[in-house]
Amino acid sequence: MPLGLGRRKKAPPLVENEEAEPSRSGLGVGEPGPLGGSGAGESQMGLPPPPAALRPRLVFHTQLAHGSPTGRIEGFTNVKELYGKIAEAFRLPAAEVMFCTLNTHKVDMDKLLGGQIGLEDFIFAHVKGQRKEVEVFKSEDALGLTITDNGAGYAFIKRIKEGSVIDHIQLISVGDMIEAINGQSLLGCRHYEVARLLKELPRGRTFTLKLTEPRKAFDMISQRSAGGHPGSGPQLGTGRGTLRLRSRGPATVEDLPSAFEEKAIEKVDDLLESYMGIRDTELAATMVELGKDKKNPDELAEALDERLGDFAFPDEFVFDVWGAIGDAKVGRY
């Protein structure tokens, strides 16, 4: 069926330019909805965890980002189970774990743990710190936020655009979890749902954000990062292979992505930010996987509708994704 003829009605972008993004923060995003989480009906979609005997017997080392002894974790197959193992190792409630970074204790969004972990990566877990409530006057349509999520029910700020509405509010920082907007709880929501809510807030009015910042180590107290640079690409660690976490089925050990795949994923992730105000390398990787063998953009559109229909990608976005994959194939970076 020709692209744009007979497809569902095109949905408008969730956010303008700087505000469109699903994570590496997607963290195991292969389908919409948090991994095993409570958003968008995902809890009914996934398969039950595989038997322990079928899970990769890989051991990873971890610390709490604000400081702790080193712990060892193993036997997990998705992000939610990973957080549970970390919480168990440090005797914390699982809900306290906000997100993880690889090979750095800092709130570095370029090192955010996604759906893949290098076999030699060291995991730093960021846990809940100070809670805060901030009133924001929406003077512009675009707030300057890029949103991601942890794959297990928490959405947080991945980037703040310089000079934007949010950039002028010092109490709001990269890494802050968005708990509620105007009293509406966002726990269990995906990044694109939060981006949509922020986009739909009326211009010229004040709204309230309830936030939780990650607990900081002493050398992080004065930091207020603007987040990673667009197109900075996935950080997969130094291991020769990666453990790929999935929302359905067991985790698997795979080779690192090829140069073509890495570049295509980076370009598609940039498009997600441009069109939707989200970044999500795992979602981008899924789209590249769906599109790399397709013969034309119509086939890609059908594959995206079937696998990722809840996103309602606009036609022009699908054309651009097709072009980005094609450019990467022939080395036009």
Side-chain angles (χ1 to χ4, degrees):
M1 180 175 293
L3 184 65
L5 298 179
R7 288 185 77 216
R8 87 176 136 275
K9 184 178 179 181
K10 182 183 75 174
L14 299 184
V15 286
E16 299 296 334
N17 296 326
E18 75 274 14
E19 298 203 59
E21 174 172 322
S23 144
R24 186 174 178 180
S25 93
L27 298 174
V29 174
E31 299 79 22
L35 298 178
S38 57
E42 180 70 6
S43 59
Q44 283 74 41
M45 295 174 61
L47 298 175
L54 297 181
R55 304 184 188 192
R57 300 299 296 175
L58 301 173
V59 177
F60 292 87
H61 292 86
T62 183
Q63 289 182 355
L64 299 180
H66 64 274
S68 75
T70 298
R72 290 160 54 93
I73 54 174
E74 61 180 313
F76 55 89
T77 192
N78 57 42
V79 171
K80 188 173 183 180
E81 288 185 3
L82 166 61
Y83 290 173
K85 292 289 184 179
I86 291 173
E88 182 180 333
F90 295 107
R91 299 181 181 180
L92 295 170
E96 287 296 299
V97 182
M98 292 177 59
F99 57 85
C100 297
T101 49
L102 299 176
N103 307 313
T104 178
H105 71 288
K106 297 182 180 180
V107 182
D108 185 343
M109 294 292 105
D110 288 338
K111 302 295 180 64
L112 196 65
L113 183 151
Q116 298 186 79
I117 308 174
L119 300 185
E120 297 179 9
D121 281 338
F122 196 104
I123 301 171
F124 287 90
H126 299 255
V127 301
K128 292 179 180 178
Q130 180 179 346
R131 285 174 167 80
K132 51 196 178 184
E133 193 167 292
V134 185
E135 289 193 348
V136 180
F137 178 72
K138 190 175 183 181
S139 57
E140 305 289 341
D141 289 331
L143 292 168
L145 285 179
T146 295
I147 309 297
T148 189
D149 65 51
N150 70 351
Y154 293 162
F156 54 94
I157 298 170
K158 188 172 185 180
R159 182 176 297 124
I160 298 173
K161 184 179 181 181
E162 185 176 356
S164 65
V165 173
I166 297 297
D167 188 43
H168 291 100
I169 304 175
Q170 291 299 309
L171 283 176
I172 301 177
S173 300
V174 167
D176 286 354
M177 181 180 76
I178 304 177
E179 283 196 30
I181 299 175
N182 287 336
Q184 178 182 347
S185 175
L186 301 179
L187 300 183
C189 289
R190 289 302 313 277
H191 43 25
Y192 62 91
E193 295 174 302
V194 176
R196 180 183 296 117
L197 288 172
L198 289 170
K199 178 63 177 177
E200 291 175 349
L201 290 169
R203 181 176 177 177
R205 296 187 184 179
T206 297
F207 66 94
T208 302
L209 284 176
K210 185 177 181 182
L211 307 167
T212 299
E213 64 183 39
R215 185 172 174 183
K216 295 179 172 64
F218 180 77
D219 64 343
M220 300 159 62
I221 296 299
S222 62
Q223 289 185 359
R224 185 184 187 259
S225 173
H229 185 274
S232 53
Q235 305 292 324
L236 297 177
T238 58
R240 293 185 177 181
T242 65
L243 178 68
R244 183 170 183 181
L245 307 177
R246 302 178 183 275
S247 56
R248 301 181 183 183
T252 55
V253 176
E254 301 179 355
D255 293 333
L256 290 169
S258 66
F260 147 67
E261 290 171 327
E262 284 190 342
K263 181 53 63 174
I265 290 168
E266 179 181 327
K267 291 170 74 71
V268 172
D269 201 21
D270 288 346
L271 289 171
L272 284 167
E273 183 167 27
S274 176
Y275 275 88
M276 297 176 64
I278 56 177
R279 291 191 74 85
D280 189 330
T281 56
E282 287 310 302
L283 177 60
T286 298
M287 297 175 74
V288 171
E289 184 177 349
L290 290 173
K292 64 183 180 182
D293 297 325
K294 298 297 183 290
K295 296 182 177 61
N296 54 59
D298 298 320
E299 291 186 3
L300 173 61
E302 291 178 1
L304 293 176
D305 282 348
E306 181 178 353
R307 183 80 172 272
L308 301 169
D310 286 355
F311 285 90
F313 296 122
D315 289 346
E316 59 267 30
F317 172 77
V318 177
F319 275 117
D320 285 350
V321 169
W322 171 256
I325 295 174
D327 287 347
K329 280 183 178 179
V330 298
R332 287 199 297 266
Y333 301 152

